[in-house]
Amino acid sequence: MTDAPAPAPVSDLAAARTRLQPLHRADEARVLAELLPQASLTPAARTAVVGRALGLLADLRAAQGEGWVNRFLQQYRLNTAEGVALLSLAEAFLRVPDSETADLLIRDKIGTADWAAHAGESDSALVNSATWGLVITRALMGEQEKASVLRRLVARAGEPFVRQAVGGAMRMMGQVFVMGRTIDEALARAGDKDNRGFTASFDMLGEAARTHDDGKRYFASYLAAIRATGAGSKANAITDRHSVSVKLSALHPRYETANAGACVPELTDMLRTLAEAARDAGICLTVDAEESERLEMSLDIIGAVAALPGLKDWDGFGMAVQGYGKRARAVIAWADALGAATGRKMTVRLVKGAYWDSEIKRTQELGLSDYPLFTRKAATDVSYLACARDMLAAQHLYPAFATHNALTVATILEWATDILGSESRDFEFQRLHGMGEGLFERLVREQGYKCRTYAPVGGHRDLLAYLVRRLLENGANSSFVHQLADAAVSDESLLADPAVRIKAVGGTPHPSIQLPVRLYGDSRDNSAGIDLADAGILAGVAARIAATGLGPAPAPADVGAAVTAAHGAFAGWAAQPVAARAALLDRLADLLERDREPLMALLVLEARKTIPDALAEVREAVDFCRYYAAEARTRMVTMTLPGPTGERNELHLAPRGVLAAIAPWNFPLAIFLGQAVAALVTGNTVVAKPAPQTPRIAAAAVALAHEAGIPADVLRLVTGGGEIGDALVRDPRIMGVAFTGSTATARRIARALLDDENRPLVPLIAETGGINAMIVDSTALTEQVVADIITSAFRSAGQRCSALRLLLVQEDVAQRTLDMLRGAMDCLVIGDPADPATDVGPVIDTDAHGRLEAYRLSQKARWRHSLAVPAGDFVAPTVIALDAIGDLRNEWFGPLLHVVTWKAGELGQTIAAVNALGYGLTMGLHSRIASVAAMVEASAHVGNLYVNRSMIGAVVGSQPFGGEGRSGTGFKAGGPHYLLRFVHERTVSTDTTSAGGNASLLSIEDVAAVP
């Protein structure tokens, strides 16, 4: 490697950094227009590249025929049900500690697939033998015991035998993708004859840290790996030695923008220690790339470590860059500027990208303006090539190109010859261990090019999500690896020029991946979010909220006068066309987005919500308005019904009259407006009463509704305590009540509506409380479970209707789950909700604090963990162990989580015990067994079941929300039937025949053939 030139001015580094932000969510076509010239080939270069790529394809295909495991995986690709079943089994099996659940998992995955269809299809005898093994396994694990002679023959030893065989097969799959269980084993394997000529970059396997103890453990494993790798290094050049890769998310459980003030300095210190160890060991250290929202933080950390004086003369520091990101080329420029500023060559590993699907989903969920990455595979290839060309030309980078694509490799070789010279080898390729065999062997062993294998290290139990991620990336239909294995894909298609493909579509995004605003198609716009993962945006929002004052509460209004006004306005409002009413709701949604930050400030200051919760609530209110407007346009129309000839039958929906909408304090904007606008768009007038704790938010919402054009008398606001609500529901002119709150209050409202014998029977549309349970079996991934428990039980200080109250965990994994949960709880930040770092704020008021704290203290003997909290209305997040499900008789509306364990085989009894509580709002399930999910779905009496995800955050139109039993009356809010509760159904039947006969029948022409 040549000596680095003199450091560039720091201003160049700063300028390179400023170029990132405008590209983050920029228009895809505009970004590609800048990349295409750099990624395009001349006709002569294209000819040379294709010729070289064809030779690489031949090598790849020859290598794919070697090794029965590779051929086995080709036989069972992800476009087959059997491939999906094997992937699911591999992801979960090795972590299941109990035999009963392991057998159930095997039966679930293997017993439902058609393995016999693959029997004899492969030209490998071992693959066919393995397939017959799967056929036999299905027979052994089948449900029809009496019909299976084979099962009867091995009834005594069948399931243990199968379990051991499957365990062995899963470990064998692990060996394909994991270099070794320990760093010593990995180093030995990296030096064997199969890896001759290749160096390795070792990565210690595992999920992102959930606790500080996790971070310390991963840090120790990285440090040990660095020292062991250095001790085994023999090559002279540092780039010819094995290296280590590190994931920052594995070192800190709160590696996120809101906690950057704490995590960035701590991670910088840990990375400094690892970098110094790598320097002393004489090896390279590369910081892996992660989700795009962490990019700016990672650059802060990498930049700080690179600038340390003690590392000045070490050229072994590097970073990975994901080509699918719109900022990728700018990050390459920044890395080059960093190398210049610090007097070194930075190693840059260019990868296509590892989080594409989750990044797309998250951007859609958050309602952000655009994606941080490209939506077409060819666009990612264009970005990758443009970055690669820049890297080859950069003066302060050592390029490393991670790819399994023969065309990409051939293009880089062509450009390297032009830019560096045909004899230069001052760059390297990289591949994933277990993939890409054949692509680089000839280049490395015969032509002297360098290739490094990205080599995971860890127990096969820990391959988990890593294995799934790698197979998903490389098994997807659009991937080069998948297409290479598909005989129907021609070489011409495999080697198509990505730049030409992108030019052909004008750089436009993929038509199937609409911008987040278009998530719901033509029916309505998705609510707009704010990118709170952007440090600058988050700081600005927080500063404006902190500068906001809480004005006076609205003056109380006379209930009788409000009902009188609404009653008088009813006829005129009901006569408005539904299209006109719906248009006003759309206008209200626009105004809510216009005033999003002032509303967020009110939610933080009056309702004590954290900033992310406040944003989510404004978005939900917007979605309610747009969704109910769209639903009303579809449903509030006359329907023609079938009947005999000469008769017309029609059904239409008519508003009820004046409705009362009584909202809770835990969603004082979204539920308050959701109930009101559902009544309004169906032609009713509304008297709306907020909770006494949150009158200012309601007043702001009503003011915006009036500004949108909803007449003042059509929507009236009354504020106050329970006496105001009681007077409202007892007014005989109220023709229905929409209520969200406690079950006890709902019962009082129901009685009040029935007290007056002269009053019509009117509906109570109620969503009430719940003792919401989450069931966890031993196939669940503990890291994912704990993250979802933290979100479900403690976000919003446990004050959501859907919040997790009762954790039901299989006893075989209870200790591990609770140990990790305790560590994750210790990472929570409890404090001022206006502080962006806060996870848990105070409960709503002093009365709620007193009730919760009295109960919490009464259970102190059962505490399994509790946190310290500041003075004020803070309730400590606490885990309380119970002996039985029935011991929890009441809903405690705060950050209190109760835990009960259950035994394998007792899932049915567990669900029955939850049902016996009488509540039926939400339930969570964490299991990798499809039959378990089907059983819970069929037997649990709940309105909302959430599988392998958190239990909160229902999305309007996608996850309609509401319970049954003691948890509500239905229909679900935010669902397609909700508006029907606010209307009468009326039918009109008309005889259309003339007097004395049926003219319509007489007019029918007989066209049948006459015999």
Side-chain angles (χ1 to χ4, degrees):
M1 183 180 294
T2 59
D3 294 335
V10 175
S11 59
D12 290 349
L13 181 59
R17 187 67 180 268
T18 62
R19 289 199 287 269
L20 269 68
Q21 183 60 32
L23 293 169
H24 188 197
R25 301 190 185 278
D27 176 73
E28 187 163 334
R30 181 177 69 80
V31 177
L32 286 168
E34 297 177 2
L35 297 175
L36 279 167
Q38 187 75 351
S40 297
L41 291 162
T42 64
R46 169 68 182 167
T47 299
V49 164
V50 170
R52 191 190 295 262
L54 286 170
L56 293 172
L57 285 181
D59 289 344
L60 269 169
R61 289 194 172 104
Q64 282 201 340
E66 300 173 2
W68 79 270
V69 174
N70 283 334
R71 295 164 83 177
F72 181 81
L73 293 175
Q74 290 171 33
Q75 180 69 31
Y76 298 106
R77 297 196 300 270
L78 288 184
N79 60 347
T80 67
E82 294 74 30
V84 172
L86 280 175
L87 183 68
S88 301
L89 187 61
E91 192 271 341
F93 181 80
L94 294 178
R95 67 169 172 264
V96 178
D98 62 293
S99 59
E100 186 165 349
T101 307
D103 290 341
L104 186 60
L105 178 67
I106 296 170
R107 185 179 297 116
D108 185 77
K109 302 307 177 189
I110 293 183
T112 57
D114 186 9
W115 306 105
H118 295 265
E121 282 197 348
S122 176
D123 57 3
S124 165
L126 281 171
V127 171
N128 289 330
S129 295
T131 296
W132 280 113
L134 290 166
V135 173
I136 294 170
T137 297
R138 177 177 179 176
L140 290 174
M141 303 302 293
E143 296 292 344
Q144 297 179 350
E145 184 171 348
K146 293 181 180 178
S148 173
V149 175
L150 180 60
R151 182 173 174 85
R152 288 200 302 272
L153 288 173
V154 293
R156 291 175 179 260
E159 292 190 355
F161 170 77
V162 169
R163 198 182 311 127
Q164 292 172 13
V166 171
M170 295 302 102
R171 290 181 180 88
M172 186 174 293
M173 285 185 67
Q175 289 174 4
V176 175
F177 300 100
V178 179
M179 182 68 87
R181 291 167 295 182
T182 65
I183 186 62
D184 290 336
E185 188 177 292
L187 281 165
R189 189 173 178 188
D192 66 19
K193 62 184 179 70
D194 290 338
N195 292 294
R196 179 175 55 85
F198 289 79
T199 52
S201 183
F202 300 112
D203 175 33
M204 313 314 291
L205 263 182
E207 287 294 288
R210 298 295 180 198
T211 71
H212 287 295
D213 284 345
D214 286 343
K216 292 175 183 177
R217 186 172 66 256
Y218 286 129
F219 176 82
S221 69
Y222 281 128
L223 195 58
I226 289 169
R227 291 169 176 164
T229 302
S233 296
K234 298 177 181 178
N236 291 326
I238 191 172
T239 53
D240 292 337
R241 302 171 185 170
H242 297 313
S243 63
V244 171
S245 296
V246 57
K247 294 188 294 289
L248 295 178
S249 61
L251 299 177
H252 201 289
R254 300 306 304 273
Y255 181 34
E256 54 205 40
T257 302
N259 286 280
C263 75
V264 168
E266 292 172 17
L267 281 167
T268 300
D269 188 58
M270 285 188 277
L271 185 60
R272 173 190 60 79
T273 301
L274 295 177
E276 290 172 346
R279 175 205 60 193
D280 295 343
I283 65 170
C284 293
L285 180 71
T286 301
V287 180
D288 274 335
E290 303 194 55
E291 296 87 345
S292 64
E293 62 190 27
R294 290 170 164 162
L295 176 62
E296 295 280 1
M297 287 189 297
S298 70
L299 298 187
D300 289 340
I301 296 165
I302 291 167
V305 172
L308 291 170
L311 300 175
K312 187 175 186 298
D313 297 323
W314 173 55
D315 276 350
F317 192 44
M319 60 184 289
V321 177
Q322 302 195 100
Y324 68 27
K326 293 175 180 176
R327 295 174 289 181
R329 194 180 181 200
V331 175
I332 298 295
W334 178 84
D336 189 39
L338 178 63
T342 57
R344 62 152 54 84
K345 274 202 171 186
M346 294 285 296
T347 297
V348 173
R349 175 197 298 142
L350 182 63
V351 301
K352 295 288 175 78
Y355 303 94
W356 185 86
D357 52 345
S358 59
E359 297 260 21
I360 292 288
K361 180 182 179 183
R362 182 164 175 79
T363 303
Q364 291 175 341
E365 289 175 338
L366 295 178
L368 301 179
S369 59
D370 208 329
Y371 300 104
L373 39 74
F374 300 105
T375 58
R376 293 181 187 267
K377 174 67 167 59
T380 293
D381 290 341
V382 165
S383 173
Y384 189 97
L385 291 174
C387 291
R389 200 168 194 170
D390 283 352
M391 289 166 62
L392 289 168
Q395 297 298 306
H396 308 284
L397 299 183
Y398 176 73
F401 304 109
T403 180
H404 299 148
N405 187 312
L407 180 67
T408 302
V409 172
T411 304
I412 289 170
L413 290 171
E414 178 70 17
W415 285 341
T417 298
D418 290 344
I419 297 170
L420 303 177
S422 60
E423 301 303 315
S424 175
R425 300 294 185 266
D426 199 19
F427 66 95
E428 68 183 39
F429 292 104
Q430 294 194 4
R431 73 177 185 195
L432 292 169
H433 175 63
M435 298 184 188
E437 284 87 349
L439 181 59
F440 297 109
E441 276 74 4
R442 191 187 301 272
L443 292 173
V444 169
R445 293 166 183 165
E446 298 180 14
Q447 300 177 35
Y449 289 99
K450 301 174 186 176
C451 184
R452 188 177 304 272
T453 301
Y454 187 83
V457 179
H460 297 145
R461 177 187 180 280
D462 293 324
L463 65 90
L464 300 175
Y466 172 84
L467 172 60
V468 174
R469 169 59 59 186
R470 297 288 85 83
L471 289 179
L472 283 173
E473 288 167 7
N474 293 279
N477 290 344
S478 60
S479 78
F480 182 86
V481 172
H482 177 92
Q483 292 182 355
L484 179 69
D486 189 342
V489 178
S490 66
D491 287 353
E492 182 181 9
S493 179
L494 270 175
L495 302 180
D497 190 333
V500 172
R501 286 184 171 183
I502 292 302
K503 289 174 184 176
V505 297
T508 57
H510 196 290
S512 297
I513 305 175
Q514 297 285 349
L515 288 176
V517 70
R518 301 291 298 158
L519 182 61
Y520 303 110
D522 295 333
S523 63
R524 62 184 170 103
D525 285 350
N526 186 17
S527 56
I530 300 175
D531 189 0
L532 297 180
D534 184 298
I537 292 174
L538 177 60
V541 170
R544 288 187 289 275
I545 288 175
T548 302
L550 199 58
D558 180 82
V559 173
V563 176
T564 297
H567 186 70
F570 169 66
W573 179 249
Q576 291 290 318
V578 65
R581 298 194 298 262
L584 296 181
L585 264 62
D586 285 334
R587 171 63 178 154
L588 174 56
D590 294 342
L591 294 176
L592 289 166
E593 290 191 328
R594 182 199 69 185
D595 289 0
R596 179 173 50 198
E597 284 193 17
L599 291 168
M600 288 173 61
L602 275 175
L603 288 162
V604 170
L605 298 172
E606 186 173 64
R608 299 179 167 185
K609 287 181 173 280
T610 62
I611 292 173
D613 283 350
L615 171 60
E617 180 156 1
V618 176
R619 291 191 63 213
E620 186 175 5
V622 170
D623 284 333
F624 272 133
C625 291
R626 290 180 179 154
Y627 179 74
Y628 290 144
E631 284 293 303
R633 292 186 183 100
T634 301
R635 295 184 177 276
M636 297 293 290
V637 296
T638 298
M639 296 175 59
T640 300
L641 304 178
T645 60
E647 180 176 284
R648 183 175 66 249
N649 296 291
E650 295 177 336
L651 180 146
H652 66 272
L653 306 178
R656 292 179 174 276
V658 183
L659 267 66
I662 302 175
W665 49 259
N666 65 333
F667 282 92
L669 178 67
I671 292 180
F672 176 84
L673 270 182
Q675 294 177 158
V677 299
L680 291 168
V681 79
T682 47
N684 303 283
T685 55
V686 175
V687 179
K689 179 199 170 298
Q693 296 92 336
T694 53
R696 296 171 183 84
I697 297 166
V702 169
L704 288 177
H706 293 162
E707 183 183 346
I710 297 171
D713 287 347
V714 168
L715 174 61
R716 296 294 297 262
L717 175 69
V718 295
T719 61
E723 72 285 354
I724 299 297
D726 187 63
L728 180 59
V729 300
R730 289 184 182 279
D731 191 306
R733 295 169 293 179
I734 294 296
M735 292 293 105
V737 176
F739 168 78
T740 301
S742 72
T743 304
T745 302
R747 291 186 186 280
R748 289 196 295 271
I749 293 173
R751 285 193 293 268
L753 294 176
L754 295 173
D755 276 352
D756 188 345
E757 293 183 358
N758 297 317
R759 184 179 190 174
L761 296 173
V762 300
L764 169 60
I765 306 159
E767 189 259 283
T768 55
I771 298 180
N772 308 310
M774 177 188 286
I775 299 172
V776 179
D777 75 11
S778 62
T779 68
L781 180 60
T782 305
E783 290 83 357
Q784 180 187 3
V785 169
V786 167
D788 289 342
I789 291 171
I790 292 289
T791 296
S792 302
F794 303 127
R795 186 171 170 180
S796 308
Q799 297 174 118
R800 294 186 181 223
C801 309
S802 55
L804 171 60
R805 312 286 180 210
L806 178 61
L807 176 63
L808 305 173
V809 59
Q810 187 177 329
E811 63 178 15
D812 304 273
V813 293
Q815 191 62 53
R816 171 175 164 78
T817 303
L818 291 177
D819 286 346
M820 188 175 290
L821 176 59
R822 282 189 285 266
M825 289 173 65
D826 290 341
C827 298
L828 291 171
V829 177
I830 302 171
D832 181 359
D835 183 342
T838 294
D839 300 303
V840 182
V843 294
I844 188 63
D845 59 21
T846 301
D847 288 344
H849 175 267
R851 289 191 300 272
L852 289 164
E853 194 64 10
Y855 169 73
R856 191 180 77 92
L857 292 173
S858 74
Q859 301 296 308
K860 192 167 185 178
R862 296 176 174 271
W863 289 2
R864 292 299 174 265
H865 199 56
S866 187
L867 304 181
V869 295
D873 291 331
F874 294 91
V875 173
T878 303
V879 176
I880 301 168
L882 301 178
D883 295 325
I885 291 170
D887 292 347
L888 185 59
R889 302 183 183 279
N890 300 304
E891 177 189 32
W892 293 98
F893 214 69
L896 307 179
L897 176 63
H898 304 82
V899 180
V900 177
T901 62
W902 55 280
K903 296 180 184 295
E906 294 182 352
L907 180 61
Q909 299 95 303
T910 300
I911 298 170
V914 174
N915 288 342
L917 296 174
Y919 292 92
L921 191 54
T922 66
M923 178 179 284
L925 170 67
H926 271 274
S927 174
R928 294 298 194 263
I929 303 175
S931 60
V932 166
M935 175 186 177
V936 174
E937 181 181 355
S939 56
H941 301 165
V942 294
N944 289 72
L945 174 64
Y946 298 101
V947 180
N948 294 329
R949 51 151 289 170
S950 77
M951 293 166 53
I952 65 171
V955 178
V956 174
S958 297
Q959 297 147 11
F961 188 78
E964 56 191 66
R966 297 168 68 185
S967 295
T969 61
F971 292 123
K972 287 175 172 291
H977 306 126
Y978 188 64
L979 295 185
L980 300 179
R981 293 300 306 275
F982 294 86
V983 294
H984 296 292
E985 284 188 320
R986 293 174 177 169
T987 59
V988 178
S989 297
T990 304
D991 185 352
T992 60
T993 62
S994 58
N998 188 337
S1000 61
L1001 281 179
L1002 296 175
S1003 66
I1004 295 176
E1005 180 180 358
D1006 186 358
V1007 296
V1010 178

